[in-house]
Amino acid sequence: MALVTTTEMFKKAYNGGYAVGAFNVNNMEIVQGITEAAGELKSPVVLQVSRGARAYANHTYLVKMVEAAVIENPDIPIALHLDHGPDFETCKSCIDGGFTSVMIDASSKPFDENVEITKKVVDYAHAHGVVVEAELGTLAGVEDEVAVEEGCASYTRPEEVQEFVERTGCDSLAICIGTSHGAYKFTPEQCTRNEEGILVPPPLRFDVLEECIKRLPGFPIVLHGSSSVPQDFVKTVNTYGGNMPDAIGIPEEQLREAAKLAVCKINIDSDIRLAITASIRKHFAEHPADFDPRTYLKPARQAVKEMVAHKIVNVLGSDGKA
């Protein structure tokens, strides 16, 4: 099976009440961990590449690693997606360079300018058999090269979504309902603490999601900034020399609820980073003499695989849907 677009996988997800995981990739171990989990669980998967990942690992290396994963996992659909494309030129480069899906993120622009930029990308992408994700609203937080200052985030306005989709022709839409980029999605002041002293974030705005669904029946919705920041990873990082106070993510049960609605794609990046970092920190603390990268990257890859498998089964509900 060659790389595919997200069109068919989103259609099945929408009708089946589950979401497809979109996991950010930066190196071989991450690609392997994600696709081994998806392959064993017979789950469709989106491998997505950020602008920062392209700068770090090189476009060609990333594409070839994903193509290798397709060869190794012939029984599952895999899409290669550009995450947060900042402009037409970046999207065009990825479309021309083998990606099957791109996101143009002009959400920081005024509505009409967002429409204009998105439409330009859509026209080029569709002419080359590639699908386009766009965004309305501005997600808070910091992750990779995406940063939004506190106080500048904004929820998606449901009254704008139908006009935006009709004018741009985009294939899916990322909306803002309270998720956030990075491992520090909320300040302590925004949260409450449970009996164990762990921060509990404010709930997602399902009213915004439901209103968008009413205005866009049958249309695939995307959630960015949806890592859950598992506290066992955070604890391990901090136990073995890390410094991540008050790192907190989106509760998994809320993401599962969103996946049962029109949310067809859920983006996960920080949880991958945490799984790898926790594993490597623990390994070096227990095996300080090791210097062969294979000795610590092998368990790190396994940690990614186990985390992704958990997401597929317990959060996304995409197991057995390939």
Side-chain angles (χ1 to χ4, degrees), residues 96-119:
D96 295 342
F99 283 53
T100 57
S101 174
V102 296
M103 179 202 183
I104 175 64
D105 183 3
S107 59
S108 63
K109 309 293 186 184
F111 182 85
D112 286 336
E113 189 175 352
N114 189 353
V115 168
E116 180 183 357
I117 295 170
T118 301
K119 179 68 163 58

Side-chain angles (χ1 to χ4, degrees), residues 3 14 63-64 97 122 134 143 168 194 201 216 229 247 252 257 295:
L3 281 167
Y14 193 103
V63 170
K64 294 304 179 184
V122 168
E143 188 169 68
T168 64
N194 63 18
L216 292 174
V229 190
E252 290 186 338
E257 184 178 347
T295 62

